[in-house]
RNA sequence: GGCCCCGUAGCUCAAUCGGAUAGAGCACGGGAUUUCUAAUCCCGCGGUUGCAGGUUCGAGUCCUGCCGGGGUCACCA
């Protein structure tokens, strides 16, 4: 445990012993006020008849390490002693992994984090990128605070959508392959799907023109009937159908894998719905026997969740085939069978499935699964374009691979042309991805993002490259120092600190608290904002105060500041899964 | 229509579980480079926190009712 935790614990204990009517809440002092920590004594004022100075005196009496105090209304801003800061620098520099850049407060936690769970009929798009960035960042955040994390991908490799791309291939693309047309496999299969949808829509339109209701036409269109028949053949185990299915999924997996690798994302375990839907069906049977569910006269199986305010939910179709939630039941069961020690099972899924996830939890609860309450839905908002929602039909879907290429190009042009080509390319990839990832993470996950291409590829201001640049500056400075035989060593802060120095020092102090709240809240945006603010303050020091040229005592202190900043910014970039080049 | 989420500067977002004078970036205007990488820094401009009530020492934050936007309520996934 870092020593300042010990200090806060000591303070709280002292307050307990002092028999205060209320214990003050401790927060970080806002930047425009003098002080490092703020004790909130509003709740105590009543007991002291509104006399803030008396209340403050009572609160401060038992505390050590406090040097300067300012009482403003119910706020008591305290500054900490030089000895305190010396010790902070020592711990952050000498053993950052033991309580500064790494914490152990969640070491009893074991999380499974599922993302991005794509369908296998289309390539990944911008929405998947938000999902991937979120899932990876949350995984890393929890690892940072000491938890064990198992990353899991659930592939939706069966269902009507796959049947559609299979039919698309048969009718419009056979016998072509990704290799024969020179395309990534997932994009090729996506083309098959789009071709199907186009032909299907033409059929529906024709039927509607002939006077049929649209909802009826959608079901009656021959292509849809064919797709359903194909799904039944698949579920019946028809060998030819299965062979094509395997082939097309294989193409898609190869394509996905390339994208995952480019993003540096790896999974510990991959689940396939084709392997869990039967488990789901068995669970539905179990529920039927236990009279938790019921069968309609037409043979379909339902759960009545009106008591939970969720209405009725179909679990098996009239023809006995499974629906989406059926396999989700099976997968959920399997996860806890495979990993019985899980304390949390996290689903990173868009908020359009809020209702679905509520249904899933309600069903698992009804089935008496004790771990149902360990499920956490990390629900995130949609990525929209300035023109509205992305739509396949209108061709406005932003493709993940194309966007990554565009980011790379953009960054490449800004990179020093004098660099060796290989190095320049590596930097461009890091900066391009850094910009995109930061852009996708900087907003509260539950809010919708409006993806403005111009702003997202911006490399200035509140962006990933801003943080990367701060990292590079610090790193290079430390390298330069090292060449002169100088290393960051803990020192006592000088008596008079420049405003920029104090500002940076105080912000550095907050890192562990940020890691904790960002992880616990499943909210990487907290770490992103902090990383920006921290780097802003570092830049101010860097820009206005000499480090290597300063006189030796001052130089030593500033070098220590830079050293701690270097640890901190690196930790933040790692946690956000933003690459950090050594030069830019 | 029922339920869920969102509404803060022209635009994109913050606001430390109800706390201080609501803060950043972009855009716009001005300034800084013989100095550790200017992808930087400094200054300025910009607000009835959608509207109306309520709760209390104190509300962008909590409650109620409206308004606006999105999602969802499939024998789709």
């Amino acid at each position: 445990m870092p020593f300042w935790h010990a200090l806060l614990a000591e303070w709280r204990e002292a307050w307990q012993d002092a028999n205060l009517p209320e214990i003050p809440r401790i927060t970080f002092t806002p930047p425009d006020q003098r002080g490092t920590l703020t004790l909130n004594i509003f709740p105590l004022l009543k007991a002291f008849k509104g006399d803030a100075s008396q209340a403050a005196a009572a609160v401060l009496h038992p505390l050590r390490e406090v040097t300067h105090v300012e009482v403003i209304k119910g706020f008591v801003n305290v500054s900490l002693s030089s000895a305190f800061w010396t010790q902070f620098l020592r711990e952050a520099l000498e053993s950052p992994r033991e309580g500064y850049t790494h914490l152990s407060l969640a070491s009893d936690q074991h999380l499974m984090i599922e993302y991005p769970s794509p369908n296998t009929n289309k390539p990944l798009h911008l929405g998947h990128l938000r999902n991937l960035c979120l899932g990876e960042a949350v995984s890393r955040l929890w690892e940072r605070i000491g938890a064990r994390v198992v990353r899991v991908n659930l592939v939706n490799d069966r269902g009507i959508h796959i049947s559609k791309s299979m039919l698309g291939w048969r009718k419009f693309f056979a016998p072509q392959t990704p290799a024969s047309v020179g395309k990534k496999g997932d994009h090729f299969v996506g083309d098959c799907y789009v071709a199907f949808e186009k032909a299907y829509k033409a059929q529906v339109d024709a039927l509607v023109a002939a006077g049929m209701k649209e909802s009826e036409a959608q079901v009656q269109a021959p292509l849809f009937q064919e797709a359903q028949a194909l799904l039944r053949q698949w579920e019946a185990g028809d060998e030819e159908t299965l062979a094509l299915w395997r082939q097309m999924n294989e193409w898609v997996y190869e394509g996905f894998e390339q994208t995952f690798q480019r993003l540096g994302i790896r999974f510990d375990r991959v689940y396939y719905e084709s392997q869990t839907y039967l488990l789901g069906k068995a669970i539905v049977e179990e529920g039927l026997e236990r009279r938790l569910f019921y069968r309609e006269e037409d043979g379909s199986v339902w759960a009545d969740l009106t008591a939970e305010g969720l209405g009725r939910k179909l679990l098996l179709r009239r023809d006995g085939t499974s629906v989406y939630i059926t396999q989700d039941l099976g997968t959920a069961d399997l996860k806890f069978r495979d990993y019985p020690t899980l304390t949390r099972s996290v689903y990173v899924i868009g908020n359009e499935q809020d209702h679905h996830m509520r249904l899933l939890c309600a069903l698992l609860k009804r089935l008496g699964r004790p771990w149902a309450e360990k499920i956490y839905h990390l629900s995130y908002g949609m990525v929209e374009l300035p023109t509205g929602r992305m739509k396949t039909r209108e061709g406005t879907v932003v493709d993940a691979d194309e966007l990554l290429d565009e980011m790379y190009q953009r960054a490449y042009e800004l990179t020093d042309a004098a660099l060796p080509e290989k190095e320049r390319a590596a930097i461009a990839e890091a900066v391009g991805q850094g910009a995109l990832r930061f852009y996708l993470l900087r907003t509260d996950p539950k809010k919708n993002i409006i993806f403005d291409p111009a702003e997202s590829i911006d490399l200035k201001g509140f962006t990933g490259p801003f943080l990367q640049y701060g990292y590079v500056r610090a790193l290079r400075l430390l390298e330069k120092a090292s060449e002169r035989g100088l290393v960051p060593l803990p020192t006592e802060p000088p008596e008079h600190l420049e405003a920029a120095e104090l500002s940076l020092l105080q912000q550095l102090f907050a890192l562990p608290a940020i890691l904790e709240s960002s992880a616990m809240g499943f909210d990487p945006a907290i770490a992103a904002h902090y990383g920006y603010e921290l780097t802003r303050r570092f830049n101010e020091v860097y820009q206005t105060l000499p480090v290597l040229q300063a006189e030796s005592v001052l130089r030593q202190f500033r070098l220590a500041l830079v050293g701690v900043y270097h640890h901190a910014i690196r930790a933040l970039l790692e946690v956000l899964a933003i690459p950090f080049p050594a030069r830019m």
Side-chain angles (χ1 to χ4, degrees):
Chain A
M1 181 165 73
F3 77 99
W4 53 90
H5 280 205
L7 179 69
L8 295 190
E10 185 189 307
W11 284 8
R12 291 204 182 87
E13 208 171 305
W15 289 330
Q16 301 261 348
D17 294 345
N19 254 331
L20 291 175
E22 293 272 352
I23 293 212
R25 217 175 68 238
I26 306 171
T27 55
F28 294 105
T29 306
D32 55 333
Q33 301 288 332
R34 180 168 175 188
T36 297
L37 294 173
T38 294
L39 314 177
N40 190 314
I41 59 165
F42 279 97
L44 282 102
L45 288 183
K46 212 169 256 176
F48 286 86
K49 295 173 185 160
D51 188 334
S53 59
Q54 274 202 29
V59 163
L60 290 168
H61 180 65
L63 305 186
R64 66 179 180 97
E65 302 296 0
V66 170
T67 53
H68 179 87
V69 175
E70 279 181 20
V71 182
I72 304 169
K73 293 191 241 181
F75 300 104
V76 181
N77 298 330
V78 306
S79 300
L80 300 174
S81 70
S82 179
F84 175 89
W85 289 117
T86 307
Q87 201 176 345
F88 164 69
L89 290 174
R90 170 167 296 113
E91 299 210 7
L93 276 175
E94 290 178 353
S95 49
R97 297 176 74 91
E98 293 162 27
Y100 188 60
T101 61
H102 296 68
L103 312 177
S104 56
L105 60 103
S107 55
D108 57 341
Q109 297 292 305
H110 188 192
L111 280 76
M112 173 179 284
I113 301 184
E114 182 203 296
Y115 68 102
S117 305
N119 293 349
T120 59
N121 61 328
K122 277 184 284 189
L124 303 171
H125 56 70
L126 181 50
H128 292 112
L129 285 178
R130 187 179 194 188
N131 184 309
L132 283 158
C133 288
L134 268 175
E136 183 60 24
V138 165
S139 299
R140 293 183 180 207
L141 278 164
W142 277 92
E143 284 171 340
R144 272 289 151 164
I145 66 168
R148 278 174 67 202
V149 172
V150 49
R151 293 166 174 77
V152 158
N153 190 13
L154 170 66
V155 181
N156 299 308
D157 63 344
R158 44 145 277 136
I160 193 77
H161 55 295
I162 315 294
S163 305
K164 288 177 177 178
S165 43
M166 284 160 68
L167 275 180
W169 182 79
R170 271 191 186 156
K171 291 185 183 296
F172 309 110
F173 285 86
Q176 296 174 22
T177 67
S180 77
V181 298
K183 232 179 186 177
K184 242 172 122 240
D186 49 342
H187 288 259
F188 177 74
V189 171
D191 291 345
C192 298
Y193 182 80
V194 169
F196 173 94
E197 283 291 324
K198 201 174 154 195
Y200 169 52
K201 185 175 186 295
Q203 288 187 348
V204 172
D205 288 348
L207 288 172
V208 170
M212 193 180 280
K213 265 176 60 184
E214 188 171 356
S215 56
E216 182 71 8
Q218 283 168 354
V219 178
Q220 291 303 326
L223 275 172
F224 184 73
Q225 296 282 328
E226 261 189 272
Q228 281 198 316
L230 198 58
L231 181 59
R232 278 193 293 274
Q233 280 177 18
W234 183 92
E235 213 155 306
D238 175 63
E239 201 37 58
E240 197 191 332
T241 306
L242 286 175
L244 176 58
W245 171 76
R246 274 188 216 106
Q247 176 63 79
M248 294 193 69
N249 274 339
E250 213 39 60
W251 289 338
V252 171
Y253 299 152
E254 280 169 26
F256 284 175
E257 191 49 38
Q258 281 180 40
T259 307
F260 292 155
Q261 268 190 16
R262 183 172 186 179
L263 293 168
I265 287 173
R266 265 194 209 142
F267 299 101
D268 301 299
R269 175 77 201 261
V270 179
Y271 288 105
Y272 298 89
E273 287 198 349
S274 57
Q275 293 169 6
T276 62
Y277 82 103
L278 290 175
L279 298 173
K281 282 180 150 186
I283 292 169
V284 173
E285 287 303 326
E286 172 200 330
L288 266 175
E289 277 168 31
R290 294 167 55 193
R291 299 182 164 276
L292 302 170
F293 310 144
Y294 65 94
R295 197 186 291 276
E296 282 282 359
E297 284 173 13
D298 64 4
S300 56
V301 177
W302 298 76
D304 184 358
L305 297 169
T306 47
E308 288 89 335
L310 296 167
R312 293 179 350 135
K313 177 63 189 170
L314 178 87
L315 301 176
L316 286 178
R317 295 195 188 93
R318 150 177 49 185
D319 63 7
T321 55
S322 59
V323 291
Y324 192 43
I325 196 123
T326 320
Q327 45 229 2
D328 272 339
L329 290 169
T331 311
D333 232 18
L334 186 57
K335 285 176 172 177
F336 280 93
R337 215 180 301 161
D338 288 345
Y339 301 90
T341 59
L342 291 180
T343 53
R344 281 275 182 102
S345 178
V346 180
Y347 292 68
V348 184
I349 302 182
N351 63 11
E352 77 261 3
Q353 295 198 39
D354 284 356
H355 182 69
H356 176 84
M357 288 303 294
R358 237 166 260 154
L359 285 170
L360 179 64
C361 290
L363 288 169
L364 290 169
K365 247 172 226 160
R366 175 166 298 193
L367 284 158
R369 299 298 192 265
W371 38 259
E373 61 197 24
K374 292 180 179 168
I375 288 180
Y376 179 82
H377 177 198
L378 173 46
S379 168
Y380 63 90
M382 301 187 320
V383 184
E384 293 173 340
L385 303 173
T387 50
R389 203 174 172 176
M390 292 191 287
K391 293 203 173 109
T392 317
R393 224 182 288 163
E394 293 167 19
T396 56
V397 175
V398 178
D399 180 79
D401 296 313
E402 284 173 18
L403 182 57
L404 286 167
D405 288 343
E406 190 187 333
M407 299 303 299
Y408 169 83
Q409 270 310 325
R410 179 81 177 193
Y412 184 86
E413 283 156 25
L414 274 172
T415 307
D416 183 2
L419 288 169
E421 181 55 28
K422 204 173 160 191
E423 191 180 349
R424 187 179 176 192
I427 292 170
E429 180 68 14
V431 172
Q433 272 200 38
L436 179 60
R437 302 181 91 128
F438 189 88
Y439 183 81
L440 293 174
L441 288 174
R442 72 185 196 186
T443 305
D444 182 344
K446 71 173 177 237
K447 290 189 176 174
N448 287 1
I449 291 182
I450 295 179
F451 181 80
D452 179 350
E455 191 182 341
S456 65
I457 57 180
D458 203 340
L459 309 177
K460 288 187 214 142
F462 183 44
T463 65
F466 183 91
L467 274 68
Q468 292 173 315
Y469 190 61
Y471 170 83
V472 167
R473 278 180 147 182
L475 178 67
R476 296 287 291 153
L477 208 161
L478 292 173
E479 283 173 5
K480 281 260 161 63
S482 172
E483 285 165 15
R484 304 182 190 190
L486 299 168
V487 242
L489 292 171
T491 55
E492 191 176 344
E495 243 168 73
H496 172 72
L497 281 179
E498 298 292 334
E501 292 171 317
L502 179 62
S503 163
L504 175 59
L505 182 62
Q506 292 187 147
Q507 190 74 357
L508 286 167
F509 175 55
L511 176 72
I514 293 296
L515 292 175
E516 176 180 353
S517 60
S518 191
M520 296 285 199
F522 291 93
D523 185 2
I526 292 173
H529 277 95
Y530 171 80
Y532 173 77
E533 179 61 24
L534 181 68
T535 297
R536 208 184 58 70
R537 296 186 190 195
F538 167 74
N539 276 333
E540 197 185 338
V541 169
Y542 185 94
Q543 192 85 15
T544 57
L545 302 171
V547 177
L548 298 179
Q549 304 300 326
E551 61 84 19
S552 78
V553 173
L554 209 48
R555 183 177 65 196
Q556 205 181 348
F557 170 69
R558 288 181 184 161
L559 210 49
L561 270 185
V562 175
V564 177
Y565 168 76
H566 176 253
H567 283 311
I569 188 62
R570 179 172 168 149
L572 287 161
L573 290 169
E574 282 176 347
V575 137
L576 296 170
I578 291 174
F580 39 95
R583 288 163 198 240
M584 283 173 72

